[in-house]
């Protein structure tokens, strides 16, 4: 009897829940930032410039980019960063961002000795469908991360399995607030996307998920009353505004297209840390003596395409060439095979 080969996108452990994670004053500080510093951009507007880039990240295997546009995948979920790469953007969360409360569980998950705070961000969304077929968070490699590399390329790198030598371990503490049992859960594939998924069901009230999301497919489930989930006027440039202590407004420029009560929102606060097994790993990361460059990344990918016998014309600008990005998507294509019966991905245009 042989042991099943581990899928390349499989977490170090199944995610676990921590209830009542943040203290009341921490919750007040986090939500205060989201309320006072609006408006906020869509998640999609932060990270993608083309359909091909989005499809490299999403689990939509088999989707023809020529038959869809980036706007087909817009969901009214808004984002921004609270801290990034050791820099805190809002002093209210300084101590929290650098706390053992966030870092130590990630270290323990990996059995690592050392770690550092990487990113802290929030997502907040109005009632909506979820067209996300499943994705995994951006991984980190020495020399390549979300601060200098497009998310689509980080996704292709992870799926290819060609860059493990440069990989840096990460982990997440993701705390959800969604006081409703109308869908809105979290689907995840802890044994790889080729095996059945699991779910954490809503409601969530200060509910933290400790997870290895850069090695685990997962997705936001549709949330809110079904009759409020369609958003025909949403655009990439749409912004979420804070109207008063109890209302949120989505606008295209000066035009209001939707309005919601605070209780309608589904919000998460997302923390990521880098962790290292040994001090020598920390030194290699910090001294930059064994970093990837984008040139090296594409050299490795092009070599692998040729090894596989894939016919293509090497692009002059592989970072932005849509045909080359689509080719990489197809070559390293993977996606979840099944979904919970109670929480399938929404299909755009379905009745």
């Amino acid at each position: 009897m042989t042991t099943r080969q581990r899928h390349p996108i499989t977490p170090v452990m199944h995610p676990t829940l921590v209830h009542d994670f943040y203290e009341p004053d921490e919750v007040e500080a986090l939500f205060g930032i989201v309320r006072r510093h609006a408006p906020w951009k869509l998640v999609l507007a932060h990270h993608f410039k083309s359909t091909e880039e989005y499809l490299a990240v999403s689990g939509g295997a088999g989707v023809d980019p020529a038959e869809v546009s980036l706007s087909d995948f817009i969901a009214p979920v808004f984002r921004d960063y609270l801290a990034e790469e050791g820099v805190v953007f809002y002093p209210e969360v300084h101590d929290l961002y650098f706390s053992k409360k966030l870092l130590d569980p990630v270290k323990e998950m990996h059995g690592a000795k050392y770690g550092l705070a990487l990113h802290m961000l929030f997502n907040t969304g109005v009632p909506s469908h979820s067209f996300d077929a499943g994705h995994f968070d951006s991984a980190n490699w020495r020399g390549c991360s979300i601060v200098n590399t497009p998310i689509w390329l980080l996704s292709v790198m992870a799926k290819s399995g060609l860059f493990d030598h440069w990989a840096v371990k990460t982990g997440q503490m993701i705390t959800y607030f969604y006081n409703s049992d109308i869908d809105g859960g979290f689907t995840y594939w802890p044994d790889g996307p080729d095996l059945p998924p699991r779910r954490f069901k809503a409601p969530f009230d200060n509910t933290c998920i400790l997870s290895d999301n850069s090695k685990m497919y997962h997705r936001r489930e549709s949330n809110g009353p079904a009759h409020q989930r369609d958003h025909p006027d949403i655009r990439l440039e749409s912004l979420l505004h804070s109207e008063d202590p109890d209302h949120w407004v989505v606008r295209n420029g000066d035009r209001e297209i939707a309005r919601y009560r605070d209780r309608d929102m589904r919000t998460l606060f997302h923390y990521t840390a880098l962790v290292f097994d040994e001090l020598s790993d920390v030194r290699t990361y910090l001294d930059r003596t064994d970093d990837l460059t984008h040139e090296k990344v594409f050299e490795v990918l092009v070599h692998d395409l040729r090894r596989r016998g894939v016919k293509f014309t090497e692009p002059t600008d592989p970072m932005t060439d849509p045909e080359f990005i689509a080719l990489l998507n197809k070559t390293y294509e993977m996606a979840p095979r099944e979904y919970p019966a109670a929480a399938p991905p929404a299909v755009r245009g379905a009745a």
Side-chain angles (χ1 to χ4, degrees):
M1 184 175 184
T2 60
T3 302
R4 177 181 175 270
Q5 185 176 1
R6 184 180 175 90
H7 191 280
I9 309 298
T10 307
V12 66
M13 60 174 272
H14 286 205
T16 58
L17 292 183
V18 184
H19 296 285
D20 301 317
F21 182 68
Y22 287 121
E23 297 298 324
D25 61 327
E26 295 169 341
V27 173
E28 182 178 355
L30 290 164
F31 276 97
I33 292 169
V34 179
R35 176 64 74 177
R36 290 192 301 272
H37 295 277
W40 306 113
K41 292 166 53 176
L42 290 161
V43 172
L44 210 66
H46 272 277
H47 299 299
F48 303 104
K49 297 179 181 178
S50 70
T51 307
E52 288 81 6
E53 289 186 7
Y54 175 81
L55 291 175
V57 175
S58 78
V63 177
D64 184 349
E67 297 179 355
V68 293
S69 68
L70 187 58
S71 61
D72 289 327
F73 301 98
I74 293 176
V77 181
F78 302 83
R79 161 178 292 181
D80 214 334
Y81 286 80
L82 307 179
E84 193 170 5
E85 298 282 328
V87 179
V88 179
F89 302 139
Y90 302 95
E92 301 95 313
V93 296
H94 180 278
D95 291 347
L96 187 56
Y97 173 65
F98 289 110
S99 69
K100 291 168 65 67
K101 172 179 185 170
L102 287 167
L103 179 59
D104 281 359
V106 178
K107 289 166 57 180
E108 291 165 7
M109 177 173 67
H110 284 283
K113 294 181 181 179
Y114 306 96
L116 60 88
L118 188 64
H119 300 140
M120 192 172 189
L121 58 86
F122 73 88
N123 287 355
T124 189
V126 307
S128 65
H129 302 289
S130 176
F131 301 104
D132 179 13
H135 68 280
F136 53 90
D137 292 355
S138 298
N140 281 256
W141 289 270
R142 294 191 297 275
C144 289
S145 71
I146 195 171
V147 299
N148 67 351
T149 305
I151 286 179
W152 76 261
L153 182 55
L154 296 174
S155 180
V156 166
M157 290 167 66
K159 289 184 285 189
S160 75
L162 298 171
F163 301 94
D164 289 351
H165 169 75
W166 296 273
V168 180
K169 295 177 181 179
T170 72
Q172 290 71 36
M173 301 287 282
I174 309 169
T175 306
Y176 288 84
F177 296 82
Y178 177 62
N179 190 23
S180 173
D181 60 0
I182 304 176
D183 300 331
F186 176 85
T187 299
Y188 59 101
W189 285 262
D191 302 305
D194 52 340
L195 290 179
R198 300 190 182 194
R199 298 177 67 204
F200 290 125
K201 298 180 182 179
F204 301 121
D205 182 15
N206 196 10
T207 306
C208 182
I209 301 175
L210 167 64
S211 63
D212 184 14
N213 270 11
S214 66
K215 284 287 191 176
M216 183 179 75
Y217 272 93
H218 57 278
R219 65 182 296 271
R220 171 186 74 89
E221 298 173 6
S222 299
N223 64 282
H227 70 277
Q228 293 184 342
R229 294 180 185 177
D230 291 321
H231 299 277
D233 295 327
I234 199 79
R235 303 287 184 269
L236 276 174
E237 63 273 15
S238 297
L239 297 175
L240 179 70
H241 296 257
S242 173
E243 180 86 341
D244 57 47
D246 193 45
H247 286 88
W248 294 92
V249 176
V250 182
R251 293 193 179 105
N252 292 340
D254 294 330
R255 184 168 74 90
E256 178 178 320
I257 63 170
R259 176 180 291 262
Y260 299 93
R261 300 290 294 272
D262 208 49
R263 62 174 180 254
D264 299 322
M265 309 299 285
R266 182 183 186 274
T267 301
L268 64 84
F269 295 95
H270 186 294
Y271 166 89
T272 296
L274 302 182
V275 296
F276 306 88
D277 293 339
E278 303 294 343
L279 188 57
S280 59
D281 300 322
V282 179
R283 296 299 183 200
T284 303
Y285 176 78
L286 293 177
D287 67 21
R288 306 298 184 188
T289 55
D290 189 28
D291 276 8
L292 279 170
T293 64
H294 292 153
E295 290 76 15
K296 178 64 174 179
V297 169
F298 286 115
E299 177 186 320
V300 170
L301 290 171
V302 165
H303 175 79
D304 190 56
L305 291 174
R306 288 174 174 156
R307 180 188 65 80
R308 291 167 175 261
V310 177
K311 297 185 182 301
F312 67 101
T313 300
E314 190 168 345
T316 56
D317 185 5
M319 192 72 79
T320 61
D321 188 298
E323 291 186 4
F324 188 66
I325 296 172
L327 175 69
L328 292 174
N329 292 346
K330 185 173 180 58
T331 301
Y332 303 109
E333 185 175 77
M334 66 175 64
R337 294 184 180 180
E338 59 182 284
Y339 300 87
V347 177
R348 189 170 294 278

